[in-house]
Amino acid sequence: MGDYNVGMLFADRRFAPSIFATILLMLGLAAFVRLGLWQLDRAEEKQSLIDRYDTGGQTTLDLTAAAIDSIPLYQHIRARGRYEPARQILLDNMPSEQGRPGYRVVTPFALDEGGILLVDRGWVPMGPTRTDLPAVDVATQPRELMGRFDTLPRAGITLDIPHADPLSNWPRVMNYPQQGDIESALGRSVLPGLVLLDADQPDGFERAWHTRFQSGPQRHLAYAVQWFGLALAAIVIYLVVSFRRKHIR
Protein backbone atom coordinates (compact mmCIF):
# COMPACT_ATOMS: atom_id res chain seq x y z
CA MET A 1 0.00 0.00 0.00
CA GLY A 2 2.88 2.36 0.86
CA ASP A 3 4.61 1.74 -2.50
CA TYR A 4 1.37 2.44 -4.34
CA ASN A 5 0.98 5.84 -2.66
CA VAL A 6 4.53 6.87 -3.57
CA GLY A 7 3.95 5.89 -7.16
CA MET A 8 0.76 7.93 -7.30
CA LEU A 9 2.64 10.90 -5.83
CA PHE A 10 5.08 10.96 -8.73
CA ALA A 11 2.52 9.88 -11.27
CA ASP A 12 0.62 13.17 -11.09
CA ARG A 13 3.74 15.31 -11.61
CA ARG A 14 5.93 15.97 -14.63
CA PHE A 15 9.53 17.17 -14.84
CA ALA A 16 9.31 20.56 -16.57
CA PRO A 17 12.17 22.86 -15.54
CA SER A 18 12.15 26.41 -16.81
CA ILE A 19 14.99 27.72 -18.93
CA PHE A 20 15.69 30.41 -16.33
CA ALA A 21 15.93 27.86 -13.49
CA THR A 22 18.22 25.65 -15.56
CA ILE A 23 20.57 28.52 -16.43
CA LEU A 24 20.56 29.66 -12.82
CA LEU A 25 21.42 26.15 -11.65
CA MET A 26 24.29 25.82 -14.14
CA LEU A 27 25.77 29.15 -13.08
CA GLY A 28 25.35 28.32 -9.39
CA LEU A 29 26.88 24.87 -9.73
CA ALA A 30 29.85 26.26 -11.67
CA ALA A 31 30.48 28.85 -8.99
CA PHE A 32 29.98 26.53 -5.99
CA VAL A 33 32.09 23.70 -7.40
CA ARG A 34 34.86 26.06 -8.46
CA LEU A 35 34.97 27.63 -4.99
CA GLY A 36 34.96 24.21 -3.37
CA LEU A 37 37.86 23.04 -5.53
CA TRP A 38 39.72 26.27 -4.78
CA GLN A 39 39.37 25.62 -1.05
CA LEU A 40 40.68 22.07 -1.55
CA ASP A 41 43.70 23.53 -3.34
CA ARG A 42 44.23 25.97 -0.47
CA ALA A 43 44.05 23.11 2.04
CA GLU A 44 46.64 21.16 0.06
CA GLU A 45 48.87 24.22 -0.19
CA LYS A 46 48.61 24.91 3.54
CA GLN A 47 49.39 21.28 4.38
CA SER A 48 52.41 21.43 2.08
CA LEU A 49 53.68 24.54 3.91
CA ILE A 50 53.24 22.83 7.28
CA ASP A 51 55.07 19.74 6.04
CA ARG A 52 57.92 21.88 4.71
CA TYR A 53 58.12 23.77 8.00
CA ASP A 54 58.31 20.52 9.96
CA THR A 55 60.88 19.03 7.59
CA GLY A 56 63.00 22.19 7.62
CA GLY A 57 63.39 22.04 11.39
CA GLN A 58 64.89 18.55 11.41
CA THR A 59 68.33 19.72 10.24
CA THR A 60 70.39 22.91 10.39
CA LEU A 61 72.32 24.04 7.33
CA ASP A 62 75.15 26.56 7.17
CA LEU A 63 73.95 29.44 5.03
CA THR A 64 76.37 30.90 2.51
CA ALA A 65 75.89 33.43 -0.26
CA ALA A 66 76.91 30.87 -2.87
CA ALA A 67 74.36 28.27 -1.72
CA ILE A 68 71.44 30.52 -0.81
CA ASP A 69 69.50 29.76 -4.00
CA SER A 70 69.37 26.08 -3.03
CA ILE A 71 68.11 26.66 0.54
CA PRO A 72 64.55 25.29 0.86
CA LEU A 73 61.78 27.42 2.29
CA TYR A 74 61.59 27.15 6.11
CA GLN A 75 64.94 25.40 6.31
CA HIS A 76 66.63 25.94 9.68
CA ILE A 77 69.94 27.68 9.01
CA ARG A 78 73.07 28.92 10.74
CA ALA A 79 74.85 32.09 9.61
CA ARG A 80 78.05 33.77 10.77
CA GLY A 81 78.75 37.48 10.48
CA ARG A 82 77.71 40.74 12.09
CA TYR A 83 74.68 43.01 12.13
CA GLU A 84 74.80 46.35 10.31
CA PRO A 85 72.28 48.37 12.37
CA ALA A 86 72.84 51.78 10.77
CA ARG A 87 70.11 51.13 8.18
CA GLN A 88 67.28 48.95 9.43
CA ILE A 89 63.80 48.39 8.02
CA LEU A 90 60.56 48.47 10.02
CA LEU A 91 57.97 46.39 8.19
CA ASP A 92 54.68 48.24 8.58
CA ASN A 93 51.20 46.76 9.12
CA MET A 94 52.54 43.76 11.03
CA PRO A 95 50.35 43.01 14.07
CA SER A 96 51.56 40.99 17.03
CA GLU A 97 50.31 37.53 17.95
CA GLN A 98 47.58 39.27 20.00
CA GLY A 99 46.70 41.65 17.15
CA ARG A 100 48.45 44.75 18.51
CA PRO A 101 49.73 47.21 15.87
CA GLY A 102 53.45 47.40 15.34
CA TYR A 103 56.41 46.58 13.13
CA ARG A 104 58.73 43.72 12.34
CA VAL A 105 62.38 44.67 12.57
CA VAL A 106 64.53 43.67 9.59
CA THR A 107 68.26 44.16 10.08
CA PRO A 108 70.99 43.68 7.45
CA PHE A 109 73.50 41.02 8.43
CA ALA A 110 76.93 40.95 6.75
CA LEU A 111 78.08 37.38 6.25
CA ASP A 112 81.71 36.58 7.02
CA GLU A 113 82.24 35.17 3.55
CA GLY A 114 80.49 38.10 1.84
CA GLY A 115 76.95 39.15 1.06
CA ILE A 116 74.19 40.94 2.97
CA LEU A 117 71.45 38.83 4.51
CA LEU A 118 68.15 40.21 5.81
CA VAL A 119 67.26 39.06 9.32
CA ASP A 120 63.80 39.48 10.83
CA ARG A 121 64.45 40.06 14.55
CA GLY A 122 60.79 40.03 15.51
CA TRP A 123 57.86 42.27 16.34
CA VAL A 124 57.92 45.57 18.24
CA PRO A 125 54.91 47.70 19.26
CA MET A 126 54.03 50.97 17.59
CA GLY A 127 54.71 54.17 19.54
CA PRO A 128 52.11 56.76 20.62
CA THR A 129 52.39 58.38 17.18
CA ARG A 130 53.74 57.33 13.81
CA THR A 131 56.79 59.52 14.37
CA ASP A 132 57.72 57.73 17.63
CA LEU A 133 59.77 54.90 16.21
CA PRO A 134 60.97 52.03 18.44
CA ALA A 135 64.57 51.68 19.59
CA VAL A 136 65.99 48.75 17.63
CA ASP A 137 69.75 49.26 17.82
CA VAL A 138 71.94 46.16 18.09
CA ALA A 139 75.63 45.52 18.71
CA THR A 140 77.91 44.89 15.73
CA GLN A 141 80.25 42.29 17.22
CA PRO A 142 80.79 39.04 15.24
CA ARG A 143 78.18 36.40 16.02
CA GLU A 144 76.52 33.22 14.90
CA LEU A 145 72.76 33.35 14.48
CA MET A 146 70.15 30.72 13.74
CA GLY A 147 66.69 30.91 12.26
CA ARG A 148 64.31 29.79 9.54
CA PHE A 149 64.79 30.71 5.90
CA ASP A 150 61.70 32.46 4.54
CA THR A 151 60.64 35.07 2.00
CA LEU A 152 59.67 38.68 2.52
CA PRO A 153 55.97 38.97 3.47
CA ARG A 154 53.51 39.99 0.79
CA ALA A 155 50.16 41.69 1.12
CA GLY A 156 47.12 39.40 0.88
CA ILE A 157 45.56 41.81 -1.62
CA THR A 158 47.81 43.61 -4.09
CA LEU A 159 47.28 47.36 -3.83
CA ASP A 160 49.21 50.42 -4.88
CA ILE A 161 51.59 50.46 -1.92
CA PRO A 162 53.17 53.88 -1.30
CA HIS A 163 56.95 53.94 -1.47
CA ALA A 164 58.98 54.98 1.54
CA ASP A 165 60.39 58.48 1.55
CA PRO A 166 64.01 58.07 0.34
CA LEU A 167 65.01 60.99 2.57
CA SER A 168 63.42 59.64 5.75
CA ASN A 169 65.57 58.73 8.73
CA TRP A 170 66.61 55.27 9.85
CA PRO A 171 65.16 52.92 10.88
CA ARG A 172 62.91 53.37 7.86
CA VAL A 173 59.26 52.32 7.83
CA MET A 174 58.34 50.37 4.68
CA ASN A 175 55.04 48.79 3.70
CA TYR A 176 55.46 45.29 2.25
CA PRO A 177 58.77 46.00 0.50
CA GLN A 178 60.29 43.42 -1.80
CA GLN A 179 63.95 42.80 -2.47
CA GLY A 180 64.30 45.56 -5.08
CA ASP A 181 62.69 48.12 -2.75
CA ILE A 182 65.06 47.23 0.08
CA GLU A 183 68.11 47.26 -2.18
CA SER A 184 67.12 50.71 -3.41
CA ALA A 185 66.70 51.95 0.17
CA LEU A 186 69.98 50.46 1.39
CA GLY A 187 71.88 51.43 -1.74
CA ARG A 188 73.39 47.97 -2.08
CA SER A 189 72.58 44.43 -3.14
CA VAL A 190 71.10 41.97 -0.67
CA LEU A 191 70.76 38.21 -0.85
CA PRO A 192 67.28 36.86 -1.66
CA GLY A 193 65.10 35.68 1.20
CA LEU A 194 64.67 36.55 4.85
CA VAL A 195 65.82 34.75 7.99
CA LEU A 196 63.29 34.51 10.84
CA LEU A 197 65.46 34.72 13.94
CA ASP A 198 64.94 31.84 16.38
CA ALA A 199 63.08 32.74 19.57
CA ASP A 200 66.04 31.71 21.76
CA GLN A 201 68.53 33.90 19.89
CA PRO A 202 69.73 37.13 21.55
CA ASP A 203 69.02 40.68 20.35
CA GLY A 204 65.55 39.86 19.09
CA PHE A 205 62.03 40.98 19.89
CA GLU A 206 58.69 39.14 20.03
CA ARG A 207 58.92 36.11 17.77
CA ALA A 208 55.94 33.82 17.24
CA TRP A 209 56.54 32.44 13.80
CA HIS A 210 54.23 29.47 14.45
CA THR A 211 51.21 31.80 14.22
CA ARG A 212 51.67 31.76 10.47
CA PHE A 213 49.91 28.38 10.48
CA GLN A 214 47.08 29.11 12.93
CA SER A 215 44.64 28.73 10.04
CA GLY A 216 45.32 25.12 9.13
CA PRO A 217 44.08 23.02 6.21
CA GLN A 218 41.07 21.86 8.25
CA ARG A 219 39.44 25.28 7.89
CA HIS A 220 39.79 25.19 4.11
CA LEU A 221 38.39 21.66 4.04
CA ALA A 222 35.40 22.87 6.05
CA TYR A 223 34.86 25.71 3.58
CA ALA A 224 35.07 23.22 0.69
CA VAL A 225 32.38 21.05 2.29
CA GLN A 226 30.16 24.12 2.65
CA TRP A 227 30.52 25.05 -1.02
CA PHE A 228 29.86 21.50 -2.20
CA GLY A 229 26.89 21.37 0.18
CA LEU A 230 25.48 24.51 -1.44
CA ALA A 231 25.90 22.86 -4.84
CA LEU A 232 23.94 19.82 -3.64
CA ALA A 233 21.25 22.04 -2.11
CA ALA A 234 20.90 23.91 -5.41
CA ILE A 235 20.32 20.63 -7.24
CA VAL A 236 17.67 19.54 -4.72
CA ILE A 237 15.85 22.88 -4.95
CA TYR A 238 16.00 22.72 -8.74
CA LEU A 239 14.42 19.25 -8.78
CA VAL A 240 11.71 20.23 -6.31
CA VAL A 241 10.58 23.29 -8.24
CA SER A 242 10.89 21.52 -11.60
CA PHE A 243 8.48 18.68 -10.83
CA ARG A 244 5.11 20.25 -11.57
CA ARG A 245 1.65 18.85 -10.94
CA LYS A 246 -0.09 17.65 -14.08
CA HIS A 247 -3.24 19.45 -15.04
CA ILE A 248 -6.23 17.09 -14.88
CA ARG A 249 -8.78 17.69 -17.59
Side-chain angles (χ1 to χ4, degrees), residues 81-176:
R82 64 184 70 209
Y83 283 121
E84 293 191 348
R87 296 189 172 190
Q88 300 188 71
I89 305 296
L90 298 177
L91 299 183
D92 203 358
N93 294 315
M94 296 291 167
S96 71
E97 188 175 12
Q98 292 78 31
R100 297 171 57 200
Y103 311 99
R104 278 167 54 182
V105 182
V106 174
T107 306
F109 186 81
L111 295 172
D112 285 344
E113 48 92 31
I116 299 298
L117 183 67
L118 298 176
V119 178
D120 190 334
R121 297 198 288 135
W123 178 89
V124 291
M126 185 177 293
T129 69
R130 297 285 292 183
T131 58
D132 295 316
L133 298 180
V136 295
D137 200 22
V138 62
T140 60
Q141 81 272 9
R143 68 179 68 211
E144 177 182 276
L145 62 77
M146 303 178 78
R148 295 273 190 153
F149 188 71
D150 198 1
T151 58
L152 286 162
R154 292 182 177 272
I157 301 177
T158 303
L159 301 173
D160 290 331
I161 298 174
H163 294 288
D165 183 356
L167 301 179
S168 60
N169 296 326
W170 298 92
R172 184 167 296 175
V173 177
M174 301 184 73
N175 196 5
Y176 291 103

